[in-house]
Amino acid sequence: MSDTYFSDRLSTIPVIGIFRGATPERTLELCESAWAEGVELVEIPVQSVDALPSLDAAVAAAGTRAVGAGTVTTVEQLEDVLRRGAEFIVCPGLHVDVVRECIRRGVPVLPGVATATEIADAVALGASWVKAFPASVLGADWVSAVRAPFPDVSFVATGGIDASNARSFLDAGCRGVAVGSAFGSPDAIAALRSAVAPS
């Protein structure tokens, strides 16, 4: 399911909105900004229970749009966010139990990877989409390099991505970029829109 799920939703605008640590009200504002730009995927990280109301608010407002839960590290967290309506899951690293359970259930999942070994392990678990994290530290050249031995793996660059570097990661072969602060102001949104436009 993850193969077409992410490719279908990133084909027009290759952006995932990731909104961490905001109040439910601010989370909704950021989601609305992303949705207004045609972004089809927004992720609400749930690194603590304090973030769950923001996830709930985004899910309630989403309608037919997709809201996912990020920073999911345990199967218990997974169960909770799925009950709350999260449609896809993002892990900060290669959390094997979470990835395995998502694959078993057919839940779209983006495990975090930062090495060739982690990519290989993710593929062995059944994942074909992964999160390159932290992308700004790894660099676009890293993406280009690891795509050579893993041509069938799709990458989403996450961590330190904004209008200034989003294009370099897309040009390196990423199928998407995850951004947060770029939806914080009209000027930042305009810059991101220009950065991810087809070249």
Side-chain angles (χ1 to χ4, degrees):
M1 180 178 182
S2 295
D3 289 354
T4 59
Y5 181 88
F6 291 115
S7 60
D8 289 350
R9 289 160 179 79
L10 292 171
S11 60
T12 303
I13 299 177
V15 172
I16 298 175
I18 175 169
F19 307 129
R20 179 189 301 276
T23 65
E25 294 76 17
R26 180 57 176 158
T27 297
L28 283 182
E29 291 174 359
L30 293 166
C31 286
E32 293 291 353
S33 294
W35 292 331
E37 290 296 313
V39 172
E40 296 188 40
L41 300 171
V42 297
E43 171 197 344
I44 311 302
V46 291
Q47 64 278 0
S48 74
V49 294
D50 293 339
L52 292 173
S54 294
L55 173 65
D56 293 340
V59 168
T64 59
R65 294 161 296 206
V67 174
T71 320
V72 177
T73 60
T74 68
V75 173
E76 291 74 21
Q77 264 188 310
L78 173 65
E79 297 280 3
D80 188 23
V81 298
L82 291 178
R83 281 194 300 268
R84 292 171 180 273
E87 195 171 292
F88 66 95
I89 300 299
V90 183
C91 302
L94 185 58
H95 297 274
V96 172
D97 291 344
V98 175
V99 176
R100 183 181 290 122
E101 185 63 13
C102 286
I103 297 295
R104 186 185 73 81
R105 295 186 182 203
V107 175
V109 60
L110 282 175
V113 298
T115 68
T117 299
E118 289 175 341
I119 298 168
D121 289 346
V123 170
L125 289 169
S128 58
W129 282 74
V130 297
K131 176 179 84 169
F133 178 81
S136 62
V137 176
L138 294 169
D141 288 344
W142 179 88
V143 175
S144 297
V146 296
R147 285 188 68 240
F150 299 105
D152 297 326
V153 176
S154 297
F155 293 84
V156 175
T158 306
I161 303 299
D162 57 24
S164 70
N165 59 7
R167 172 48 55 188
S168 66
F169 282 93
L170 294 172
D171 289 345
C174 285
R175 300 281 299 276
V177 292
V179 299
S181 59
F183 291 103
S185 71
D187 287 347
I189 291 170
L192 178 66
R193 185 189 307 125
S194 176
V196 303
S199 53

